[in-house]
Amino acid sequence: MRKNKTMIFWFCLPALLTLLIMYVYPVCRTVLMSFFQVESVTASMSDWTFYGLGNFNKIFSSQSFRTSMNNMLLIWFVGGLITLALSMLMAVVITSGIRGKKFFRAAIYMPNIISAVALATMWIQYIFNYDYGLLNAVVKLLGGDKIKWLGTDMKFWAMTAAFIFGSVGYYMLIYISGIEGIPRDLYEAATIDGAGKVHQFTHITMPLLKGVIKTSITFWSINTTTFFLWTKMFSPIDTEQSTIVPVVYLYDMVFGGKGITTRDAGAGAAVGVVLTLIIIAVYLITERLFKKSDLEY
């Protein structure tokens, strides 16, 4: 018995060390750093100067940070509402027994197997391009004037639309897995009792998908707070107020960016802490709102 415990310990040790070194230590260091004035991420702790809540006051008093938070909230709420609703709709349609189920599922999920850089480039060059983009070709065909989709006033929504397109398939698969786990007997019994498709969806599908919806919202919140690549693709040269999000603001604070002459790793760490607290808050709220259904299946 003792030999078995020893063997289990040695097998678990590499994973445990990896967890401590790669995850626990950076998280603890970042939280601690957020309360100190630190110029460089690699600076020795002996060079840190205690700053209390100064870093948090600094970022919340910054107009760029407030703009980035506003952009992130818009992506989270508006983008999340559209993405999760479309994903749910497509999952319900595909699991309803339509012909070509496998084809439609693969086609909708396909954007997720394409590199995000390639996907963003496709939208920028072939959809939103002012001279030969698909959208302006349609506008011109209808007799309208070409639109600067990547202009300052439209760029944020263009970026959000492209991000939604690349996300729908992922959440659709999550919903499909949840719907396929619901016993068909429930739908058959409801049909016999005279319940229509809408009634079945609101009284069977939705209540039994509470856990899946909660997971989807949590995943969407994480994807929104780590929204970095899409911003850089739509604003590749300088950080723009129309596309800035907190992680880009964090990057500019730590490594330098437009209008930032002094690097501040402490303020960057404070941004990271704020984003983490937001994700925890979303998780706790969804955990409370989407309690486990009383229905058993």
Side-chain angles (χ1 to χ4, degrees), residues 220-262:
W220 177 257
S221 301
I222 295 172
N223 290 336
T224 304
T225 55
T226 56
F227 192 90
F228 180 83
L229 186 145
W230 289 86
T231 294
K232 284 300 182 182
M233 289 300 298
F234 276 79
S235 300
I237 301 175
D238 290 319
T239 300
E240 299 178 22
Q241 294 296 301
S242 60
T243 59
I244 188 173
V245 288
V247 286
V248 174
Y249 177 82
L250 183 157
Y251 180 87
D252 289 343
M253 290 296 294
V254 175
F255 300 103
K258 183 179 180 180
I260 299 176
T261 56
T262 304

Side-chain angles (χ1 to χ4, degrees), residues 52-103:
L53 297 176
N55 286 321
F56 295 93
N57 292 331
K58 179 178 180 178
I59 62 174
F60 279 108
S61 62
S62 168
Q63 180 60 45
S64 293
F65 179 73
R66 292 198 297 269
T67 300
S68 71
M69 287 292 291
N70 182 63
N71 289 343
M72 185 188 73
L73 289 175
L74 281 175
I75 295 170
W76 180 81
F77 181 74
V78 178
L81 198 62
I82 297 173
T83 301
L84 300 184
L86 285 176
S87 301
M88 175 72 79
L89 175 62
M90 292 178 182
V92 171
V93 171
I94 287 176
T95 55
S96 65
I98 63 169
R99 293 182 179 181
K101 169 183 174 180
K102 293 182 179 179
F103 168 78

